[in-house]
Amino acid sequence: MPKIVFNCPDGSQRIVETRVGSSIMDAGTRSGIPGIVAECGGALACATCHVYVAEQFRDAVGEVGDFEDEMLDDAAAERTEASRLSCQIPMTDALDGVEVTVAPAQ
Amino acid sequence: MTNSQSLPARTGVLVVGAGEAGVRVAASLRELGYDQPILLLGDEPHGPYQRPPLSKAFLNGTGDPTALALRNPEYFAEAGIDLRTGRTITHVEVGDSGAGTACCDDGDTVAFDHLVLATGARARALPVDGADLIGVCTLRSLCDAEVLRERLGSAEQVVVLGAGYIGLEAAAVTSARGLATTVVERETRLLSRVGAAPLSDFLLARHREWGVGFRLGAEVRAIVGDDGDQVRGVRLADGQVLAADLVVVGVGAVPQTALAEKLGLRVRRGIAVDGAGRTSHPGVFAAGDCTVVAHPHLPEELIGVESVQNANDQARAVAAGIVGVAPPAPPVPWFWSDQRDLKLQIAGISGGHDEYVVRGHPGARDVSVLYYRAETLIASESVNRPKDFLAVKRALGRGATIPPQAAADPDVPLKDLIVDRM
């Protein structure tokens, strides 16, 4: 199963394995990663699973969707070119080892 | 997570109910450093799962239920949370401190220092003949959703009773699958309990485009079946019978208050709690869909806020109360609904508004309604206007407002209009 590296707001690093098809947000909430609030459970309704994707994985995670784009503009933490809503990134084998930093505010 | 093991003789916190609120109480207690045993006890056969997708993606998909899990099984073990499913607490006694004992349906008893009721709500049954026919479904639990999803495979004519969120989400799914779908609603418009008329009209137009039929202002007299007790239709008060081989009942939820009533707690439809999740017994807490709280705008009224957000925020407050730390800041209530390509996002509680402003170009595919009380912003409902939703949520969180006159221009970003209250 592919792995995700979470850099958490408390400074800790957690590595979570998840099955292909499950989103980065899903993997984070199910393992209780601090800072992945994800109140809507991945319905793209709350912008509380904001992460910054490490540069080497930016292409692999794909493009920001239109609705996601609008939500990210007004997310609680600053938006950068690394910003994604982690519910919108389904895991693939190609994403094995993907590193994300959880936004400091959700 | 085993069901055969007997319960421990004692626990620090007993959480009755393993849904969104119960899981969050347990998780927050651990995050706050609570180091005594936690027993999380659910009466459903499954481990804790997400409820919102049941009427949305899960209903329309082929996904397996494990994709709905709120936490991995390992999470509970690692966090030291003793999760038991398929267990029902039948009796409970508490002393003045809030400590007490609880009895399980299999005869086990457990002593606890603190009790949290997170017992949720059940689907309201329709009090008419035929409500128990085969093919009459409610949509609340994973079991409900699995039954309904199975039936969708062979259904042709669906009648949905109730034009609230659950009913409309179900109609969105069934009509998308090409099933003839009719929604019957007692009130004269959609979402009458929560939304203003422009939102009702907007959603009515979209659903009609999808081919959904509506009987508004219609009373259900009976659900009728055949000799094999299979549902065949719905009879309205005017005598008309709508043919149906599947009926989805979405007429609201009833808080599960049996244990609270046995304890003599104050129950007004739901278990009355304060902002810290305390019941009328200062040592007993409750969180989630089983509770009612003071209405934010209407003095003397209590309101049940049935949402994931409310369950989580009440649970966080309860955990803080048990540990004895300051409660988190009061949250902004929010809610969402998915109906095909429409995403509804609701911030605040609109009940008690005396004015509203509609944002949207006539005929557009998106709309927001902003609600005001005494010229102060109290809530919004947006369809496919996420920036409006986030701006209102932010304004409400800061105790700020957005002047109604300026808000009416749909091309001006709301976040640029946020100002302090007068």
Side-chain angles (χ1 to χ4, degrees):
Chain A
M1 292 200 295
K3 293 187 180 64
I4 306 164
V5 179
F6 287 95
N7 298 314
C8 303
D10 60 6
S12 65
Q13 190 175 71
R14 298 264 304 269
I15 298 173
V16 171
E17 278 194 358
T18 190
R19 57 181 178 174
V20 168
S22 173
S23 74
I24 289 181
M25 178 226 79
D26 266 330
T29 51
R30 281 191 211 146
S31 300
I33 296 291
I36 301 275
V37 178
E39 271 183 337
C40 76
L44 191 49
C46 67
T48 62
C49 63
H50 183 186
V51 298
Y52 304 107
V53 179
E55 193 164 5
Q56 64 270 34
F57 293 98
R58 298 249 179 92
D59 289 338
V61 297
E63 297 274 312
V64 176
D66 289 346
F67 205 93
E68 180 187 356
D69 192 32
E70 291 205 44
M71 298 284 286
L72 274 171
D73 273 347
D74 293 307
E78 186 197 357
R79 178 177 187 178
T80 73
E81 55 187 19
S83 288
R84 291 297 307 269
L85 294 180
S86 56
C87 67
Q88 298 304 301
I89 307 175
M91 283 300 289
T92 60
D93 286 322
L95 281 176
D96 187 22
V98 64
E99 183 177 341
V100 299
T101 299
V102 180
Q106 298 284 1
Chain B
M1 186 169 52
T2 56
N3 298 323
S4 52
Q5 271 186 334
S6 57
L7 296 183
R10 80 160 288 277
T11 185
V13 175
L14 171 63
V15 184
V16 185
E20 198 87 47
V23 169
R24 180 65 66 186
V25 168
S28 293
L29 281 169
R30 288 295 181 239
E31 284 163 21
L32 293 171
Y34 183 78
D35 62 359
Q36 296 297 301
I38 299 173
L39 179 60
L40 176 61
L41 214 137
D43 63 358
E44 293 186 61
H46 316 86
Y49 59 90
Q50 304 174 51
R51 224 174 270 282
L54 298 180
S55 52
K56 308 177 179 82
F58 181 80
L59 191 58
N60 199 30
T62 52
D64 80 280
T66 57
L68 297 173
L70 272 177
R71 293 284 192 281
N72 295 324
E74 309 86 68
Y75 166 83
F76 296 101
E78 284 166 15
I81 296 166
D82 188 354
L83 169 68
R84 310 296 181 99
T85 57
R87 306 287 278 263
T88 305
I89 294 288
T90 52
H91 187 73
V92 63
E93 286 178 14
V94 291
D96 289 344
S97 70
T101 53
C103 304
C104 206
D105 52 353
D106 55 12
D108 278 357
T109 64
V110 57
F112 53 80
D113 299 331
H114 302 279
L115 174 66
V116 181
L117 299 173
T119 45
R122 63 178 185 275
R124 183 187 300 280
L126 204 63
V128 298
D129 286 347
D132 53 355
L133 288 166
I134 299 163
V136 179
C137 298
T138 53
L139 187 44
R140 180 89 200 162
S141 67
L142 179 51
C143 291
D144 290 343
E146 286 180 312
V147 168
L148 181 53
R149 194 166 77 166
E150 167 82 26
R151 293 205 160 266
L152 285 179
S154 57
E156 290 176 1
Q157 290 177 299
V158 182
V159 171
V160 177
L161 305 182
Y165 287 114
I166 293 289
L168 293 177
E169 287 174 2
V173 168
T174 58
S175 62
R177 294 172 65 117
L179 308 179
T181 303
T182 303
V183 177
V184 179
E185 167 60 45
R186 191 173 55 181
E187 304 295 331
T188 53
R189 60 187 182 85
L190 284 56
L191 292 179
S192 61
R193 214 161 55 94
V194 290
L199 183 77
S200 308
D201 295 344
F202 180 93
L203 291 173
L204 180 63
R206 296 290 90 72
H207 276 263
R208 280 190 168 144
E209 284 173 7
W210 299 334
V212 178
F214 285 87
R215 293 286 191 285
L216 300 176
E219 198 85 38
V220 174
R221 251 320 120 71
I223 302 173
V224 293
D226 61 17
D227 295 343
D229 285 336
Q230 294 281 340
V231 68
R232 283 289 171 255
V234 172
R235 183 182 302 126
L236 304 180
D238 64 6
Q240 190 185 9
V241 175
L242 306 174
D245 51 13
L246 177 61
V247 172
V248 182
V249 182
V251 294
V254 184
Q256 308 249 50
T257 58
L259 285 178
E261 285 167 44
K262 280 185 191 169
L263 284 170
L265 303 180
R266 183 166 177 247
V267 173
R268 298 288 180 276
R269 201 180 88 85
I271 306 168
V273 295
D274 65 11
R278 282 181 200 276
T279 67
S280 58
H281 184 309
V284 178
F285 296 85
D289 286 358
C290 64
T291 67
V292 292
V293 295
H295 194 291
H297 314 303
L298 301 173
E300 311 296 320
E301 282 201 28
L302 296 172
I303 181 173
V305 184
E306 296 161 21
S307 68
V308 171
Q309 169 272 321
N310 184 62
N312 279 292
D313 283 316
Q314 280 189 321
R316 289 186 184 100
V318 164
I322 290 172
V323 174
V325 299
V332 177
W334 79 273
F335 185 78
W336 84 97
S337 172
D338 286 317
Q339 295 166 35
R340 295 215 204 179
D341 58 348
L342 305 180
K343 186 173 299 292
L344 283 73
Q345 293 166 295
I346 296 99
I349 306 266
S350 65
H353 70 270
D354 52 23
E355 183 190 1
Y356 60 79
V357 169
V358 180
R359 269 170 74 81
H361 296 287
R365 314 301 286 183
D366 54 45
V367 71
S368 289
V369 183
L370 275 63
Y371 295 87
Y372 292 83
R373 179 172 174 83
E375 296 184 12
T376 299
L377 179 70
I378 57 168
S380 70
E381 287 152 351
S382 297
V383 186
N384 291 0
R385 292 185 68 95
K387 285 174 188 267
D388 288 359
F389 162 73
L390 289 169
V392 170
K393 190 163 169 252
R394 183 166 304 174
L396 295 175
R398 286 184 196 163
T401 188
I402 296 172
Q405 300 78 9
D409 181 345
D411 297 323
V412 179
L414 287 182
K415 71 173 171 183
D416 296 341
L417 300 175
I418 299 174
V419 293
D420 290 339
R421 286 183 188 169
M422 297 297 279

